[in-house]
Amino acid sequence: MLCMLAANMQVFAQKKTDTSDKVTIKILNDIVGIGVQTDSGRLQKLIGNVQIRQGETMLYADSVYQDSKNNLECFGNVRIIQPGTTVSGDYARYLSTPKLAYIKGKVSMLSGRSNLQTEELTYDVGTKLGTYENGGGALQDSNTTVTSKTGAYNGKSKDARFIGDVVVTDPVYHITSKDLGYNTESKLVTYFDSSITTSDKSILNAKNGTYDSKKGVAHFIQRASVFDDGEYIEADTLDYDRTIGFGEGRSNVITIDTTQHVTMVCGHVKYYKYKRLLLALVKPVMKQVNGKDSIFIRADTFRSAPISKPGDSIKKKTSEVKNLKKMTVKGKKKMITETAIADTTAADSTSPRYFIGYHHVLIYSDSLQGICDSISYTQNDSTMRMIGSPVAWSRQSQITGDTIILRMDSGKLKNIFVPNNAAVISQSGPDKAKMYDQVQGKTLFGIFKKNELNEMIVRPNAECIYYSKDDSGAYIGVNQAQSERMRIFFADRNLSRIVFEQDVHQTLTPLQQANIPTLKLSRFKWLADKRPKSRAELFK
C-alpha cells in the first residue's frame, strides 16, 4: 500500500530534488563515538544531544548508532530539520544513500502551518514526501483536520493523499471518502473515489473531480450529484459554484425540485440557485407529480423561474429571464454574466415556479396525452397552456384548437378550455368503419371527473356529426346538427350523448343511406398516429 501511495504522490511531487546524498554525513558537536561490535558489524555509538548534518538536512537525537555506510539508528527526541519542514519522533532509522528515514513513536511532520501526526512514518528526505500506513494518521491544517488509514504528504508541493476511511473536518464543510487528495496551501480537494461532502444545507456526492474549498467551486468529470436547499442535480459531468449557487450538468442529467415535486431529465442543464432559474437542453423531459398520475412533458428546451408575486415589477421578471439565457460555461471554467452574479438575493425556495417548453412538445399521463409546438406550466394555479397546433387526447376523445388550457386540482385533471377554433372528435365503432363523432365551435369547456372527461360545452356556432344509437347499442343513423350551444356527455370513456341548446337545426340520416367517408366537419383531422402511446416515447 505504501509503495502504491508513494507512486501516486509522484503526481504532486516537484521535479527538483535534493542532491545532497553525495555530501558526507558530518557530526557537528564534539561527541566522541564509542565503538561497538555487533553481529552485523562494527557500529559507532554517539550519546548526548547528537547533531548530524547531510547537506541542508539536520538530524538531532539523544543517541545514535552509525554503521560503516553512514546509516543511522536514532533514539530519543529525534528530529529531522530541513528548510520549511521538521519531522520528529521517538525513534528513527536513517539510510543516508537513498536518504530515507523510518520514524516511529508520536511522529510529527510539520510543514508551514500543517502538521501531520502518526505513529509510523516513512520520510523521503530528498523529496520531502512522508507516507504512513500502520495505525493511520491525521493532518492538521489551520482549522481543517484530515484523518485516514493510509496517507502521504509532500512538504514541498503541500499536496496530500489519503486512502481508507478518510474524514475531513472543517468549520465550513465535512467530507467522508475512500480516496482523497488535499493541498494545504490552495485548499483544493481532489476526489479519487466515492466521497460525500456536506456543507450547511448542501450534500455533494462525487468520485472523480475537484472542489476548491476556498472559492466553493467544484468540477467533476464522473457521475456526481448536489443537493442544495431543496434542489437536486445529478449528471455525468458537473460544475457547481456554491458561493453564487450556480450549477451546470452535462449528459444523463437529473434535476429535482423536492419542494414543488418537479423532476427534469435532460442532456444539459444550467441552474442558478438564488434566482431559482433553470435552463434544460438536449431532449429535456419534465415530470410533475400529481398524486398517483404524474404528467411527463417533453420539449426541445425548457426554461423555469419563480412566478412573480403581486407587486413585482415586469422589469425584474424580464431581468431574471435574461440572466437565465446568459448562463454559459466554457471548457472547464464557468463563465457567468455580471448581471446574473450581481443580484444574489435568494428567491423563496417554497414559492411556485413556471415552466416554458419550446418546440416539438409531447405530453403523457395515464389520463391525458398531447402534442403542441410550445407549452407553459404554472405551479401556483396548476395550469398548462398548449400553444401552436395543440392536440389533446383524453381516453377516446381528441381535442384541438388554436390554444388548449388545462387546469388541475390536487393532482387531478379539473377542466379543459379551448378559447378559439375548438373541435372534439371521438371514434365510433371499429377502426375499419372510419366513423367519427365530431363537434366543433368557437369555444370548448370540458369538466373532468376522476381524471376522465365527464361533460363538455361547445359554443357558439356549434356543429356536430353524431352516430346515434338505440338503447341496445345498435346504430340508428347519423345526426347532423347546428346549434348555438351544445352540451356533450361521456360515459365509459366514450361520447354517450349530445344535448342541443338554442337555435337547433338537425337532420337524421339512416345509417344505410349515409355516405360515411364524406361525413366530416370543416376542422376534421384525425391525428391518432401522432398520439404518444407511452411515456417511454418521450425519452427516445
Side-chain angles (χ1 to χ4, degrees):
M1 176 67 76
L2 280 175
C3 294
M4 180 186 72
L5 188 60
N8 289 336
M9 283 298 294
Q10 296 306 314
V11 176
F12 301 124
Q14 297 178 355
K15 292 183 179 180
K16 184 178 179 181
T17 58
D18 187 353
T19 59
S20 59
D21 56 334
K22 299 178 182 179
V23 180
T24 305
I25 284 182
K26 295 182 179 180
I27 302 171
L28 300 184
N29 49 349
D30 298 328
I31 296 178
V32 178
I34 301 172
V36 178
Q37 186 64 41
T38 66
D39 293 340
S40 58
R42 189 169 181 82
L43 302 178
Q44 190 81 353
K45 183 178 180 181
L46 307 171
I47 301 176
N49 191 25
V50 182
Q51 302 176 27
I52 298 175
R53 183 173 69 191
Q54 184 182 27
E56 293 183 337
T57 303
M58 292 292 300
L59 186 147
Y60 298 87
D62 292 344
S63 62
V64 175
Y65 287 85
Q66 181 183 18
D67 66 12
S68 59
K69 296 181 180 179
N70 280 332
N71 297 322
L72 309 174
E73 194 166 4
C74 312
F75 299 87
N77 298 314
V78 179
R79 287 174 294 155
I80 299 174
I81 300 177
Q82 296 176 283
T85 304
T86 299
V87 182
S88 61
D90 295 333
Y91 166 85
R93 183 162 56 90
Y94 181 65
L95 306 179
S96 61
T97 300
K99 299 177 67 178
L100 284 177
Y102 302 92
I103 309 162
K104 293 183 179 181
K106 297 179 181 179
V107 181
S108 171
M109 179 179 173
L110 187 63
S111 180
R113 294 179 298 176
S114 302
N115 186 10
L116 174 63
Q117 296 179 323
T118 183
E119 283 301 309
E120 295 185 18
L121 186 75
T122 300
Y123 182 66
D124 188 321
V125 174
T127 62
K128 293 187 178 181
L129 178 64
T131 57
Y132 64 85
E133 184 174 22
N134 297 327
L139 176 65
Q140 178 71 42
D141 175 53
S142 186
N143 294 323
T144 304
T145 303
V146 188
T147 61
S148 66
K149 286 184 176 179
T150 302
Y153 180 58
N154 190 306
K156 286 185 178 181
S157 66
K158 309 302 181 185
D159 283 305
R161 180 77 176 265
F162 306 95
I163 297 176
D165 295 338
V166 184
V167 177
V168 181
T169 304
D170 185 272
V172 179
Y173 61 93
H174 179 84
I175 302 175
T176 58
S177 175
K178 293 181 179 180
D179 190 349
L180 198 72
Y182 179 69
N183 186 285
T184 58
E185 201 166 78
S186 67
K187 312 300 181 186
L188 183 71
V189 180
T190 303
Y191 298 80
F192 296 103
D193 207 331
S194 299
S195 307
I196 300 174
T197 303
T198 57
S199 176
D200 194 13
K201 296 180 180 179
S202 67
I203 301 174
L204 168 65
N205 280 273
K207 61 171 60 176
N208 189 351
T210 59
Y211 173 64
D212 188 330
S213 60
K214 279 186 177 179
K215 300 178 180 178
V217 175
H219 173 67
F220 300 102
I221 57 176
Q222 199 170 346
R223 194 77 180 165
S225 67
V226 175
F227 178 81
D228 193 357
D229 195 18
E231 293 289 341
Y232 177 84
I233 300 178
E234 179 182 340
D236 289 345
T237 64
L238 185 63
D239 290 278
Y240 184 69
D241 189 325
R242 180 177 173 274
T243 305
I244 61 175
F246 175 79
E248 180 166 19
R250 295 177 183 272
S251 183
N252 299 312
V253 181
I254 301 172
T255 72
I256 303 174
D257 183 337
T258 59
T259 304
Q260 301 295 333
H261 309 292
V262 175
T263 299
M264 188 76 71
V265 179
C266 62
H268 184 191
V269 72
K270 299 177 184 180
Y271 178 72
Y272 188 44
K273 169 188 171 182
Y274 292 109
K275 306 309 298 180
R276 298 183 69 220
L277 307 177
L278 180 141
L279 174 64
L281 307 165
V282 189
K283 300 179 181 179
V285 177
M286 185 187 87
K287 174 186 175 183
Q288 171 70 63
V289 178
N290 292 305
K292 296 181 180 179
D293 187 14
S294 298
I295 293 181
F296 295 82
I297 306 174
R298 155 99 175 256
D300 292 347
T301 301
F302 264 107
R303 301 184 188 275
S304 176
I307 297 171
S308 298
K309 296 179 181 179
D312 287 352
S313 66
I314 296 176
K315 181 178 180 181
K316 179 180 178 182
K317 184 175 180 180
T318 303
S319 175
E320 290 175 358
V321 175
K322 286 183 178 179
N323 291 346
L324 176 66
K325 292 181 179 179
K326 292 179 180 179
M327 293 189 298
T328 60
V329 169
K330 293 184 178 180
K332 294 183 179 180
K333 294 185 178 180
K334 165 182 49 54
M335 302 293 292
I336 306 176
T337 59
E338 292 180 2
T339 53
I341 296 175
D343 184 4
T344 57
T345 304
D348 184 359
S349 61
T350 62
S351 64
R353 299 163 70 176
Y354 67 83
F355 294 82
I356 299 177
Y358 298 100
H359 310 311
H360 306 107
V361 175
L362 300 177
I363 303 166
Y364 183 86
S365 72
D366 290 341
S367 54
L368 180 81
Q369 299 81 47
I371 60 172
C372 58
D373 178 72
S374 300
I375 191 169
S376 72
Y377 175 74
T378 50
Q379 292 178 328
N380 62 332
D381 56 5
S382 297
T383 299
M384 200 180 332
R385 295 168 177 84
M386 301 169 61
I387 304 165
S389 303
V391 185
W393 291 271
S394 178
R395 307 310 182 193
Q396 305 302 320
S397 299
Q398 171 189 292
I399 301 169
T400 58
D402 292 348
T403 300
I404 296 177
I405 301 173
L406 286 156
R407 293 187 177 89
M408 288 165 282
D409 183 24
S410 301
K412 296 180 179 179
L413 289 167
K414 183 179 180 181
N415 57 59
I416 184 170
F417 177 59
V418 180
N420 195 43
N421 285 328
V424 56
I425 304 172
S426 296
Q427 184 171 320
S428 183
D431 289 344
K432 61 181 180 180
K434 302 296 182 181
M435 299 189 303
Y436 302 95
D437 294 325
Q438 308 158 51
V439 180
Q440 69 181 35
K442 179 174 173 57
T443 68
L444 177 154
F445 181 78
I447 300 172
F448 288 84
K449 187 176 181 180
K450 295 182 179 180
N451 271 346
E452 294 185 8
L453 270 174
N454 184 62
E455 183 181 348
M456 189 179 292
I457 298 172
V458 177
R459 68 183 181 93
N461 304 322
E463 302 175 72
C464 83
I465 295 175
Y466 174 60
Y467 290 85
S468 300
K469 301 176 184 178
D470 60 21
D471 293 338
S472 65
Y475 285 101
I476 300 172
V478 183
N479 193 348
Q480 294 176 271
Q482 295 178 344
S483 174
E484 186 66 15
R485 172 188 173 109
M486 291 185 187
R487 189 181 298 269
I488 306 156
F489 296 91
F490 297 83
D492 299 325
R493 301 186 177 186
N494 292 298
L495 193 155
S496 64
R497 63 191 178 94
I498 300 176
V499 176
F500 309 110
E501 301 174 350
Q502 298 177 321
D503 300 328
V504 180
H505 302 278
Q506 63 177 321
T507 58
L508 180 65
T509 304
L511 193 62
Q512 62 271 23
Q513 298 178 16
N515 186 358
I516 293 175
T518 64
L519 295 176
K520 303 289 190 298
L521 293 177
S522 61
R523 295 180 204 144
F524 177 88
K525 287 183 181 179
W526 186 241
L527 304 168
D529 58 326
K530 295 186 178 182
R531 182 178 189 173
K533 303 300 188 297
S534 69
R535 68 182 184 186
E537 289 186 31
L538 279 63
F539 293 92
K540 288 182 179 179

